[in-house]
Amino acid sequence: MKRQIFVLFLTILLCLNTACTAHNKMLTQKKGTVLKSENENYLLYPANLYRKYISKIDGNRCSMHPSCSSYSVDSIKKHGLFLGWIMTCDRLMRCGGDEVKLSPKVIINGEKHCYDPVSANDFWW
Amino acid sequence: MALKIYGSFYNRFFFVFILLCLLPVLLFLSKSIAEAEIIEEPKETLIINSSMQLDLAERFFLNGDYYRAAGEYKKFIFFFPEDKKAEHAMYKVGLANYNSGHFREAVASFTKLIDKYRKKGFSMNTFPAKAYLMMSESYMQLSESGPAEVSLHNLIVETGDTDVKDEAYYRAGWINVETGDWKKAEGQFDNISSQNLDKYRVPKLLSDLEQRGSIPEKSTKLAGIFSIIPGGGMLYCERYRDALVAFLFNTVLICTAYEAFDNGNCALGTLVSVVESGFYMGNFYGAVSSVHKYNRNAKKNFIEKLKTGNKIKLRAEVKKKGFELVFRYAF
């Protein structure tokens, strides 16, 4: 039983650790409108939950812009739950990897981030 | 007492009557004085003629104040529509919009000029020809290659001048290169007349364009097949770090799910499997997406190389002698 609890804990930890902070929202959108529409969409509850409670403690460590949770919200909004989930998983695996070398850089709060919005990953559809 | 009251009433009435009579006189006098003051103030009258207005616009333009320059050129066109420089001013309105980054307005200005001053068979030094070329440039700045090509096509149809046609073919060829339509680009460059082949370095350009077969290209199908093993597709796209992460992540989750089911813990197994399925599909998605990014970058690099070695920079900037030609060659 202890072993199973440990595995479950490890799985959740793995998922949460790779998901990155999301204080930085899409630059082109107004703060108020983004929050309102996100709260209205129940599909985004997990991402919002993470952003509201875990990310604040965890800190802003994502090397990408928009951050992984923002990317997740954007992709679910744009392509629905199924594709949004797949795109989120893809992004979580790429976060901080080779994409950092290949994508253009954007300066956010004095720090260089790798610019990788949803549009850079669905342009070929 | 009654007489007194009557007397004071009479006096007041008389006083008001006098005032009412004087009022128009006073008003007339004050107006005359005010007018006299206004008229007397300016001692010199400045009459702005067409050349002064144009000079002001040109000064703004040269100083890079394109917004004001466009306004002054418009004033010039409004006050002196019959002036021989009106066509020039109209072109400069478009150019000021282009330089200030208002490409949509620039297109509108150039269209207006073309509609007003279009003549059959115009040559290179005429404003409609330049306007067509700049209109195409504006569309390219708006990332609208289709309308940009159409503008050049219209120019080719309307002009009778071989130089203008060749210029338009050359530019259209580069638009096709940018969009990766190699065959069409070759066709455009082939249309350039023999007299201008050397000017545009067409033989070298065509031979370099032939090397497009050497552009490295990855297959999306192969990437998909390789992704059956997590990270295989990423490895195929030369993304080694991403491949390792994808492989480890998926392997750990698959093993966890297997262990959970093996130990009879179906709930945990299902939960992990649901999470894993997203990552496994994400592995396919990432691989295919990486192939597209790889191919796009390879094509972009080839175009950049082609441009550095061959592209002649042509500016439709109005000089008295026509076009400015700049050639850049990388050793």
Side-chain angles (χ1 to χ4, degrees):
Chain A
M1 186 65 187
K2 273 184 183 176
R3 195 177 159 199
Q4 285 159 357
I5 292 169
F6 174 72
V7 169
L8 179 66
F9 177 73
L10 194 74
T11 313
I12 294 166
L13 203 71
L14 268 171
C15 296
L16 294 180
N17 261 342
T18 45
C20 304
T21 52
H23 292 297
N24 43 350
K25 293 180 176 61
M26 291 295 283
L27 294 173
T28 50
Q29 288 170 312
K30 282 182 186 173
K31 261 188 180 177
T33 53
V34 169
L35 285 170
K36 197 184 171 191
S37 58
E38 279 173 19
N39 288 334
E40 281 168 3
N41 196 342
Y42 66 92
L43 296 174
L44 304 171
Y45 278 165
N48 286 331
L49 200 76
Y50 169 77
R51 293 164 76 173
K52 203 172 174 184
Y53 298 107
I54 301 166
S55 175
K56 278 181 183 171
I57 304 160
D58 196 31
N60 191 359
R61 294 185 289 105
C62 188
S63 56
M64 318 280 266
H65 179 82
S67 67
C68 293
S69 53
S70 287
Y71 182 93
S72 173
V73 168
D74 292 339
S75 58
I76 291 169
K77 270 185 186 172
K78 196 171 175 185
H79 299 295
L81 182 64
F82 183 67
L83 276 168
W85 166 236
I86 290 171
M87 286 180 82
T88 304
C89 292
D90 163 50
R91 170 64 177 274
L92 289 170
M93 287 189 286
R94 287 187 296 107
C95 182
D98 291 309
E99 203 67 57
V100 176
K101 285 181 275 174
L102 298 167
S103 290
K105 304 285 174 292
V106 58
I107 296 168
I108 309 285
N109 297 329
E111 281 180 28
K112 267 188 185 177
H113 291 259
C114 165
Y115 187 62
D116 183 54
V118 174
S119 58
N121 295 287
D122 63 359
F123 68 94
W124 48 274
W125 286 28
Chain B
M1 185 69 182
L3 267 173
K4 246 184 188 181
I5 291 163
Y6 177 76
S8 69
F9 175 77
Y10 181 77
N11 282 344
R12 272 184 200 170
F13 179 77
F14 185 72
F15 179 70
V16 171
F17 177 75
I18 295 291
L19 265 180
L20 281 171
C21 289
L22 279 172
L23 197 66
V25 179
L26 280 168
L27 280 171
F28 177 75
L29 276 173
S30 62
K31 197 187 166 202
S32 311
I33 291 161
E35 275 176 358
E37 276 172 1
I38 292 164
I39 292 161
E40 273 174 25
E41 242 180 51
K43 302 220 164 149
E44 283 177 33
T45 309
L46 180 67
I47 298 165
I48 296 171
N49 58 27
S50 61
S51 69
M52 282 165 80
Q53 180 62 37
L54 197 64
D55 280 349
L56 179 68
E58 297 283 6
R59 186 166 290 185
F60 280 132
F61 190 89
L62 287 171
N63 289 336
D65 192 348
Y66 299 117
Y67 178 76
R68 282 205 172 86
E72 294 304 326
Y73 282 124
K74 280 177 190 169
K75 271 186 204 168
F76 175 86
I77 297 160
F78 181 79
F79 288 118
F80 312 102
E82 299 305 318
D83 194 285
K84 58 181 179 181
K85 289 263 185 182
E87 196 179 353
H88 162 85
M90 256 181 128
Y91 178 72
K92 284 305 241 347
V93 172
L95 217 55
N97 282 323
Y98 178 87
N99 288 347
S100 60
H102 296 98
F103 303 114
R104 199 66 69 189
E105 287 86 346
V107 168
S109 308
F110 292 129
T111 310
K112 219 169 164 182
L113 188 150
I114 292 162
D115 289 344
K116 194 169 180 186
Y117 296 101
R118 176 187 276 129
K119 285 170 204 160
K120 277 278 169 200
F122 44 72
S123 69
M124 185 66 100
N125 286 332
T126 56
F127 285 105
K130 290 177 170 89
Y132 265 124
L133 296 174
M134 282 310 297
M135 193 156 82
S136 166
E137 286 282 320
S138 306
Y139 276 126
M140 282 309 281
Q141 294 291 339
L142 291 164
S143 304
E144 293 176 14
S145 56
E149 213 184 322
V150 167
S151 313
L152 294 172
H153 169 79
N154 290 344
L155 176 61
I156 292 163
V157 171
E158 287 195 38
T159 185
D161 192 323
T162 315
D163 286 340
V164 178
K165 277 188 180 181
D166 288 347
E167 167 84 33
Y169 280 130
Y170 186 71
R171 283 174 185 254
W174 276 108
I175 290 170
N176 294 139
V177 167
E178 294 278 358
T179 53
D181 199 343
W182 313 114
K183 279 274 170 204
K184 212 171 169 188
E186 273 180 346
Q188 301 279 19
F189 293 133
D190 274 334
N191 282 332
I192 294 172
S193 67
S194 56
Q195 69 187 55
N196 284 321
L197 284 179
D198 288 334
K199 180 186 167 187
Y200 295 113
R201 299 174 62 88
V202 175
K204 188 181 176 293
L205 183 55
L206 286 173
S207 81
D208 283 355
L209 208 55
E210 282 288 315
Q211 289 171 12
R212 65 179 178 271
S214 65
I215 301 173
E217 201 175 352
K218 303 273 184 195
S219 157
T220 48
K221 283 175 189 166
L222 274 177
I225 291 165
F226 287 140
S227 293
I228 292 170
I229 298 165
M234 292 284 193
L235 199 67
Y236 172 64
C237 296
E238 299 168 20
R239 290 180 174 233
Y240 306 111
R241 207 172 152 182
D242 289 349
L244 184 70
V245 171
F247 180 74
L248 290 176
F249 217 95
N250 281 284
T251 309
V252 167
L253 286 174
I254 288 167
C255 288
T256 310
Y258 176 79
E259 279 286 310
F261 281 119
D262 202 35
N263 291 331
N265 197 337
C266 295
L268 179 63
T270 310
L271 180 73
V272 178
S273 297
V274 168
V275 174
E276 164 52 18
S277 62
F279 282 97
Y280 192 62
M281 285 187 280
N283 150 64
F284 281 92
Y285 185 90
V288 174
S289 186
S290 299
V291 165
H292 284 285
K293 285 179 189 173
Y294 181 92
N295 290 343
R296 185 181 62 178
N297 286 344
K299 202 164 92 176
K300 202 173 149 189
N301 289 341
F302 176 76
I303 292 167
E304 280 305 313
K305 206 175 150 190
L306 200 70
K307 269 186 191 173
T308 315
N310 296 290
K311 197 173 183 184
I312 293 168
K313 204 173 175 188
L314 294 156
R315 282 186 208 160
E317 177 70 57
V318 182
K319 304 268 176 193
K320 280 185 182 169
K321 294 277 180 187
F323 277 68
E324 186 180 323
L325 198 92
V326 181
F327 178 65
R328 190 176 55 162
Y329 188 78
F331 292 94

